[in-house]
Amino acid sequence: MKMKNFLIGLAAKSVYRKADVIFSPGTKSAEYFKKNGVEGNKICLIPDSSEIPLCKEEDIRKKYGISQEVTLFLYFGRIIKQKGLDV
């Protein structure tokens, strides 16, 4: 491990432990915080935006003029090269 990564990790752990509340988008990140010294009662799970039931339903094909022959994929996430969206 590089010294820089070690020092950043050490600083992050210090901040995590001193926080009153840690907001975690899922169970995996909650496990990460626990592993880094955060007490379980300080971790608050929050839903991803895709889980919020207040979304308005609309016909995407009609709105954008997309035919029924075209396959659509719904994607929630950052559009960055590492995600492989071009594949």
Side-chain angles (χ1 to χ4, degrees), residues 36-48:
N36 284 285
V38 178
E39 297 171 24
N41 63 341
K42 289 186 174 185
I43 300 171
C44 180
L45 288 173
I46 56 172
D48 289 334

Side-chain angles (χ1 to χ4, degrees), residues 5 8-14 16-17 22-39 43 45:
N5 293 344
I8 290 172
L10 197 60
K13 287 177 186 179
S14 176
Y16 299 155
R17 290 184 191 133
I22 298 282
F23 293 106
S24 172
T27 56
K28 291 291 183 189
S29 59
E31 289 173 19
Y32 165 81
F33 289 121
K34 286 179 186 176
K35 187 177 116 182
N36 284 285
V38 178
E39 297 171 24
I43 300 171
L45 288 173

Side-chain angles (χ1 to χ4, degrees), residues 17-71:
R17 290 184 191 133
K18 291 178 182 177
D20 293 327
V21 177
I22 298 282
F23 293 106
S24 172
T27 56
K28 291 291 183 189
S29 59
E31 289 173 19
Y32 165 81
F33 289 121
K34 286 179 186 176
K35 187 177 116 182
N36 284 285
V38 178
E39 297 171 24
N41 63 341
K42 289 186 174 185
I43 300 171
C44 180
L45 288 173
I46 56 172
D48 289 334
S49 61
S50 60
E51 296 176 5
I52 295 174
L54 300 176
C55 296
K56 180 181 133 189
E57 188 176 322
E58 59 183 293
D59 188 342
I60 298 295
R61 291 183 186 277
K62 184 177 179 182
K63 183 176 180 177
Y64 295 103
I66 301 170
S67 73
Q68 292 293 327
E69 290 78 36
V70 175
T71 302

